[in-house]
Amino acid sequence: MNAKPIGIFDSGVGGTSIWKEIHTLLPYEDTIYLADSKNAPYGQKTKEEIISLSVKNTELLLSRGCKLIVVACNTATTNAISYLRENYKVPFIGIEPAIKPAALNSGTGTVGVLATKGTLSSSLFLKTSKDHAGEITLVEQEGVGLVPLIESGKINSAETKQLLINYIKPMLEANMDHMVLGCTHYPYLIPVLREILPPHVSIIDCGTAVAKQTLAVLNKENLQNPKKTPGEIQFYTNKDTKILTSFLQDVDELKQIEYLNF
């Protein structure tokens, strides 16, 4: 099992922000990434639909021999990971909005959360908020329209910037000093957010924490690949490969991104 790959899936290109952190920390591990862009965004779908899509992605990764699966999607984690863990034997790593560190470090007592409807309305998000933000004011904002814009490569468009301005306004009016990104697509918006946000507002995402948790689980389950040569990288998308390619231009080891009808 040690030599088998780590599987990663997301509702599109956003989870590549997680993949990059995992690949940086675990360069000798083989990885397979699925971008389910055809069905993005997951955040507008029902819980049943999200579970069904997550099962489809999991089955495909398992058919390719994956030893561990990272659900690199906040919406899929909050809605489907319990089901996946109950029905499959491999370890699963999930993604949760980083409310705990934001709440612990907030000086103003107000934290903004930008996430999808599927994440904000989930029972896991509500539990995380209750557990870690009891004394903190959370200003929650659904990022309607952001994922399709990112999936279309329009990160720096005027439309994207205006949406972010609109979404951030109530957070700033409430005196937030930390902003949590509750979708793995959103770290790609950080350069635009930096243009909009005051310097004192910290932006928090969970990429590094997820990579560290992946390493911890590999060690716990004795699944680390012992080889000392760079891991094999495989990327698959069920939509236009050009978009995914544009998000991975800085990955020197990447040889090819393949279209796969899944």
Side-chain angles (χ1 to χ4, degrees):
M1 285 294 289
N2 300 65
K4 293 183 180 295
I6 295 171
I8 303 165
F9 75 81
D10 181 36
S11 61
V13 301
T16 56
S17 63
I18 300 294
W19 174 85
K20 288 178 182 180
E21 296 284 357
I22 291 172
H23 182 62
T24 298
L25 186 63
L26 301 165
Y28 306 130
E29 294 287 346
D30 295 344
T31 52
I32 299 176
Y33 183 96
L34 298 182
D36 190 18
S37 293
K38 183 172 66 177
N39 293 298
Y42 281 10
Q44 302 299 313
K45 300 184 185 300
T46 66
K47 181 181 180 73
E48 290 73 24
E49 289 173 323
I50 296 164
I51 290 175
S52 178
L53 290 168
S54 298
V55 166
K56 175 201 65 171
N57 297 332
T58 296
E59 297 275 3
L60 179 53
L61 290 170
L62 291 177
S63 74
R64 300 196 172 222
C66 291
K67 62 187 178 183
L68 174 148
I69 294 177
V70 179
V71 184
C73 173
N74 292 77
T75 302
T77 296
T78 51
N79 287 274
I81 200 163
S82 294
Y83 179 91
L84 297 176
R85 284 172 172 158
E86 289 169 5
N87 288 275
Y88 298 96
K89 293 182 179 179
V90 297
F92 285 88
I93 307 291
I95 314 293
E96 291 183 41
I99 293 172
K100 183 178 180 179
L104 287 173
N105 291 290
S106 176
T108 64
T110 300
V111 171
V113 182
L114 185 64
T116 66
K117 177 182 178 181
T119 292
L120 293 174
S121 62
S122 70
S123 57
L124 182 55
F125 177 80
L126 294 174
K127 183 179 185 302
T128 301
S129 301
K130 183 179 179 180
D131 289 347
H132 302 301
E135 305 299 320
I136 293 290
T137 299
L138 289 183
V139 183
E140 300 170 14
Q141 175 61 56
E142 182 184 342
V144 180
L146 291 176
V147 169
L149 286 168
I150 296 168
E151 286 285 327
S152 300
K154 298 178 181 178
I155 291 172
N156 296 304
S157 68
E159 183 181 358
T160 300
K161 188 169 185 178
Q162 189 56 55
L163 278 179
L164 289 173
I165 290 171
N166 295 342
Y167 294 157
I168 289 167
K169 185 180 178 182
M171 300 180 185
L172 292 176
E173 290 175 347
N175 199 27
M176 79 160 173
D177 61 354
H178 284 71
M179 182 177 179
V180 175
L181 303 182
C183 172
T184 54
H185 282 74
Y186 295 171
Y188 286 109
L189 298 172
I190 288 176
V192 184
L193 288 168
R194 284 289 177 213
E195 295 177 14
I196 302 169
L197 290 169
H200 74 276
V201 176
S202 298
I203 301 173
I204 301 180
D205 73 89
C206 60
T208 302
V210 172
K212 290 179 179 178
Q213 178 65 8
T214 302
L215 173 59
V217 172
L218 288 175
N219 284 334
K220 180 183 176 183
E221 302 292 335
N222 195 27
L223 288 174
Q224 263 199 284
N225 196 325
K227 70 176 183 178
K228 297 301 178 185
T229 54
E232 181 181 344
I233 301 168
Q234 299 176 66
F235 277 84
Y236 299 98
T237 179
N238 53 19
K239 212 168 180 182
D240 187 359
T241 59
K242 292 178 182 177
I243 297 296
L244 187 54
T245 300
S246 70
F247 282 84
L248 297 166
Q249 291 177 350
D250 56 340
V251 182
D252 296 333
E253 310 96 314
L254 186 62
K255 296 178 181 178
Q256 187 177 2
I257 295 173
E258 295 183 37
Y259 170 81
L260 186 65
N261 186 19
F262 64 93

